């Protein structure tokens, strides 16, 4: 069955964990031991009902404070689809965790508290989802039970948020009024909101069509490891191992090898099940080619007719993740892009992105924790990339502090799909 990856988004206490807990509970996807543990903790907390957030909040600090800190992944399926749910934090200080959870998602589940409406963190998470290439957004206006299931409140919040999402170039937007606590419009249609006739949340997630996958894109195969057994039996063997990040590789296929620019032909492919004639995303493979070229970790095999770009200087959008220091122009860091690692310098900091109105703030000399900005980066070795809007793997990278080995930023190469954020020459 088709797999759908979902990430939650929204402000603190909007009910993200409770909504996911309700999805799992009502779809009978909770293991008995997990359910028993949640019932036990709910009883100790003197709750009159099962605290569904406990089905996803696994850390002791999360259970004690009633908040989400880490990203919790939960897996379940229905007869129609398999799902991976990433429950991400709503607190501003944990925005970097939300970036992690959303980086592989197909759909962003934005939860808004019906009592408070659209707040800054709702907008911030929506902007991050758009920056990360998520083009399907489902907006759950939660806690409708606390506003009397009022249709006018639902429509007011929907109209306010819709204009903001349209500016983000989101392809598919769907709105659902829900009460995660009581299960209204989550798995089953709620009789308490007869004015809403578009079905419950789960039905929409089951029917949502993801029209584009990495399988549709040109071949991208970063080399992770060069295999040379150096034994009498395999004296001439040289294989290049890695995971296919997009597209398909076939025996006899003409490929490009970057950054050298050489071309060759695939002579053999080994997959986990043995020798195959072709393999596709996201299979891990070892390939052999007919030429003896100097190829090492960090090089990339690509389709001969769909070649990415090679450069040592590029524009990017970064989300700064370090609490200990700020990002400033001239900073020296280490970049990890696919399987290549190199040194990187921030040669220009062009400012922050204002998540409230999607404008650039050019008068900025540093990025602090969880701030998003536009930068120009120069690397010590060539980077083989596509724009992030074209390929989420070859268009993304992380930055690491060389002194502490701390991951300090996540980046997307190219321009965002919204707004006007040109770098000055």
């Amino acid at each position: 069955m088709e797999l759908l990856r979902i990430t939650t988004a929204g402000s603190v206490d909007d009910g993200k964990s409770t909504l996911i807990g309700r999805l799992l509970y009502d779809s009978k996807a909770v293991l008995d031991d997990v359910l028993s543990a949640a019932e036990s903790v709910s009883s100790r907390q003197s709750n009159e009902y099962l605290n569904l957030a406990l089905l996803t909040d696994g850390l002791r600090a999360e259970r004690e404070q009633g908040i989400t800190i880490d990203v919790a992944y939960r897996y379940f399926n229905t007869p129609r689809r398999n799902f991976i749910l990433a429950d991400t934090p709503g607190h501003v200080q944990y925005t970097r965790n939300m970036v992690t959870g959303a980086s592989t998602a197909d759909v962003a589940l934005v939860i808004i508290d019906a009592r408070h409406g659209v707040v800054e963190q709702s907008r911030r998470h929506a902007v991050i989802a758009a920056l990360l290439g998520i083009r399907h957004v489902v907006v759950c206006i939660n806690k409708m039970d606390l506003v009397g299931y009022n249709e006018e409140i639902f429509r007011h919040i929907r109209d306010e948020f819709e204009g903001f999402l349209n500016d983000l170039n989101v392809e598919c937007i769907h709105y659902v009024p829900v009460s995660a606590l009581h299960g209204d419009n989550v798995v089953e249609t709620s009789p308490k909101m007869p004015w809403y006739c578009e079905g419950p949340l789960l039905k929409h997630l089951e029917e949502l069509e993801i029209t584009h996958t990495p399988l549709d894109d040109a071949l991208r195969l970063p080399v992770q490891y060069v295999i040379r057994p150096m034994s009498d039996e395999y004296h001439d063997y040289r294989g290049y191992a890695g995971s296919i990040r997009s597209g398909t590789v076939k025996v006899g296929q003409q490929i490009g090898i970057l950054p050298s620019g050489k071309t060759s032909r695939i002579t053999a492919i080994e997959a986990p099940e043995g020798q195959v004639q072709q393999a596709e995303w996201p299979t891990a493979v070892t390939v052999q080619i007919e030429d003896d070229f100097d190829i090492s970790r960090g090089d990339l095999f690509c389709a001969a007719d769909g070649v990415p770009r090679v450069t040592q200087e590029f524009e990017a959008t970064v989300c700064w993740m370090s609490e200990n220091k700020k990002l400033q122009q001239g900073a020296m860091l280490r970049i990890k892009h696919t399987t290549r690692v190199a040194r990187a310098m921030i040669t220009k900091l062009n400012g922050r992105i204002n998540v409230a109105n999607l404008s650039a703030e050019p008068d900025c000399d540093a990025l602090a924790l969880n701030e998003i900005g536009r930068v120009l980066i120069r690397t010590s070795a060539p980077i083989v990339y596509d724009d992030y809007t074209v390929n989420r793997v070859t268009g993304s990278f992380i930055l690491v502090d060389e002194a502490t080995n701390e991951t300090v930023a996540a980046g997307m190469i190219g321009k965002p799909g919204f707004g006007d954020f040109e770098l000055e020459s």
Side-chain angles (χ1 to χ4, degrees):
M1 292 188 294
E2 187 180 19
L3 174 65
L4 187 71
R5 296 176 180 269
I6 306 169
T7 184
T8 59
S11 187
V12 62
D13 290 335
D14 281 350
K16 295 183 294 301
S17 297
T18 302
L19 180 61
I20 288 184
R22 175 61 67 182
L23 266 175
L24 297 173
Y25 184 76
D26 285 1
S27 60
K28 307 297 189 291
V30 182
L31 297 175
D32 290 341
D33 59 336
V34 175
L35 182 59
S36 296
E39 290 172 341
S40 176
V41 174
S42 294
S43 177
R44 291 200 302 271
Q45 292 175 343
S46 301
N47 289 331
E48 297 179 359
Y49 52 86
L50 172 63
N51 185 351
L52 295 169
L54 295 173
L55 299 178
T56 58
D57 289 339
L59 299 177
R60 177 179 295 179
E62 293 176 322
R63 296 195 300 268
E64 291 174 348
Q65 300 178 59
I67 64 172
T68 300
I69 297 173
D70 200 6
V71 180
Y73 292 94
R74 294 295 179 264
Y75 309 84
F76 76 104
N77 64 280
T78 68
R80 304 185 64 176
R81 194 167 232 167
N82 293 322
F83 299 91
I84 299 179
L85 281 162
D87 182 24
T88 64
H91 284 70
V92 174
Q93 72 185 92
Y94 300 123
T95 299
R96 55 187 175 180
N97 298 43
M98 185 269 170
V99 172
T100 302
S103 61
T104 59
D106 304 306
V107 180
L109 204 61
V110 179
I111 292 88
I112 298 176
D113 189 327
R115 299 170 301 171
H116 305 144
V118 180
V119 297
E120 181 181 350
Q121 194 69 345
S122 306
R123 294 189 180 93
R124 181 188 299 274
H125 280 197
V127 169
I128 292 173
L131 283 172
L132 290 170
I134 301 175
R135 293 292 175 257
H136 296 266
V137 172
V138 180
V139 183
C140 294
I141 300 176
N142 190 27
K143 305 188 181 182
M144 290 297 295
D145 55 305
L146 299 181
V147 295
Y149 300 101
N150 189 300
E151 180 182 3
E152 289 304 314
I153 292 177
F154 167 76
R155 294 188 181 279
H156 173 74
I157 296 173
R158 182 195 64 186
D159 294 344
E160 178 185 358
F161 204 48
E162 189 159 28
F164 183 77
L165 290 179
N166 286 335
D167 290 339
L168 294 176
N169 294 336
V170 176
E171 294 175 2
C172 178
I173 309 171
H174 186 75
Y175 295 85
V176 188
V178 303
S179 170
L181 181 63
H182 300 292
D184 297 298
N185 280 343
V186 180
V187 172
E188 301 291 340
T189 300
S190 172
K192 299 173 184 176
M193 290 177 277
W195 43 267
Y196 182 79
C197 306
E198 298 181 39
L201 171 63
L202 182 60
K203 179 177 182 291
H204 178 72
L205 295 177
E206 287 181 320
E207 297 175 351
L208 182 65
E209 292 187 17
I210 303 299
T211 57
H212 181 87
T213 71
L215 182 58
D216 303 321
D217 296 328
L219 172 65
R220 297 291 184 266
L221 174 55
V223 176
Q224 184 173 356
Y225 188 70
V226 180
I227 300 175
R228 290 294 310 277
M230 301 302 291
S231 65
D232 293 337
E233 184 180 358
Y234 298 100
H235 180 71
D236 295 326
Y237 183 93
R238 183 184 282 108
Y240 304 98
S243 295
I244 301 173
R245 308 312 300 181
S246 65
T248 302
V249 62
K250 303 177 182 179
V251 173
Q253 179 180 356
Q254 190 80 16
I255 60 165
I257 305 164
L258 296 175
S260 68
K262 295 181 172 63
T263 60
S264 188
R265 193 176 302 276
I266 300 292
T267 59
I269 304 171
E270 295 176 61
E273 64 272 24
Q275 290 277 348
V276 295
Q277 289 299 302
Q278 75 173 52
E280 61 188 31
W281 166 85
T283 309
V285 296
T286 299
V287 301
Q288 295 174 260
I289 62 175
E290 63 183 11
D291 299 289
D292 292 330
F293 292 139
D294 179 13
I295 300 171
S296 59
R297 177 183 173 90
D299 290 350
L300 182 135
F301 295 157
C302 64
D305 57 350
V307 179
R309 283 174 277 187
V310 181
T311 187
Q312 288 183 246
E313 188 171 61
F314 55 88
E315 301 177 18
T317 303
V318 296
C319 178
W320 190 247
M321 299 178 171
S322 176
E323 300 179 39
N324 303 316
K325 61 172 65 177
K326 296 182 178 181
L327 177 65
Q328 295 178 310
Q329 185 170 309
M332 293 295 300
L333 300 163
R334 188 165 69 246
I335 185 172
K336 186 180 186 302
H337 173 263
T338 63
T339 56
R340 181 175 291 277
V341 176
R343 301 195 73 198
M345 173 186 283
I346 307 300
T347 58
K348 186 172 182 61
L349 174 60
N350 200 50
R352 286 183 295 261
I353 295 177
N354 186 316
V355 299
N357 56 22
L358 304 182
S359 65
E361 297 179 346
D363 297 329
C364 166
D365 57 5
L367 292 182
L369 175 65
N370 294 322
E371 290 186 333
I372 301 167
R374 296 282 295 149
V375 297
L376 189 65
I377 299 177
R378 175 173 287 278
T379 59
S380 61
I383 297 295
V384 182
Y385 77 96
D386 300 279
D387 277 359
Y388 188 83
T389 54
V390 175
N391 190 305
R392 292 171 74 177
V393 173
T394 56
S396 63
F397 61 90
I398 60 172
L399 296 174
V400 178
D401 187 305
E402 293 187 288
T404 64
N405 218 31
E406 175 192 11
T407 299
V408 293
M412 291 73 71
I413 302 174
K415 301 174 183 176
F418 54 85
D420 182 15
F421 306 110
E422 294 287 347
L423 283 169
E424 298 176 3
S425 58

